[in-house]
């Protein structure tokens, strides 16, 4: 189960990241596609991973892209990203 605090913190990281790129930030919903829905590129997804790692104190795999799904064929949904973060947080407890 995803913790509400994890969702809130991840949304904040995404909004701050998008604003830093000069993009508009809005409320991020769990079913939002981070690539198509929020307009983040796959290159930006790699940079977003660094921000997520800093915020949560976790290490994501080197080949992980916050914006593109694991198959590399479509955008990752916000819920999928948060589930990945939550799983790593739970494994460190």
């Amino acid at each position: 189960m995803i913790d509400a605090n994890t969702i809130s913190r991840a949304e904040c990281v995404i909004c701050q990241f998008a604003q830093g790129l000069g993009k508009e930030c809005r409320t991020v919903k769990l079913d939002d596609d981070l690539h198509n829905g929020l307009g983040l590129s796959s290159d930006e997804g790699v940079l977003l991973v660094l921000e997520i790692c800093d915020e949560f104190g976790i290490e994501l795999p080197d080949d992980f892209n916050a914006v593109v799904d694991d198959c590399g064929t479509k955008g990752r949904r916000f819920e999928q990203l948060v589930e990945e973060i939550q799983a790593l947080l739970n494994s460190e407890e």
Side-chain angles (χ1 to χ4, degrees):
M1 183 168 177
I2 303 172
D3 180 64
N5 184 48
T6 303
I7 294 170
S8 177
R9 287 173 64 194
E11 181 180 10
C12 185
V13 169
I14 290 171
C15 280
Q16 288 176 349
F17 181 77
Q19 288 173 337
L21 296 171
K23 297 182 182 203
E24 185 178 330
C25 183
R26 59 172 175 77
T27 302
V28 182
K29 297 182 177 104
L30 287 175
D31 63 345
D32 280 343
D33 180 311
L34 297 173
H35 179 65
N36 296 319
L38 297 181
L40 296 175
S41 72
S42 60
D43 289 341
E44 292 165 342
V46 174
L47 298 174
L48 179 56
V49 167
L50 300 174
E51 300 295 323
I52 291 168
C53 290
D54 286 346
E55 171 65 24
F56 289 95
I58 57 174
E59 290 289 325
L60 288 161
D62 290 338
D63 61 347
F64 185 82
N65 188 312
V67 175
V68 181
D69 76 347
D70 293 334
C71 296
T73 59
K74 61 183 177 180
R76 184 182 302 274
R77 288 181 299 111
F78 179 58
E79 181 176 27
Q80 293 171 309
L81 175 60
V82 175
E83 287 172 345
E84 187 76 29
I85 294 167
Q86 190 68 58
L88 288 169
L89 290 171
N90 291 344
S91 71
E92 293 179 358
E93 292 180 352

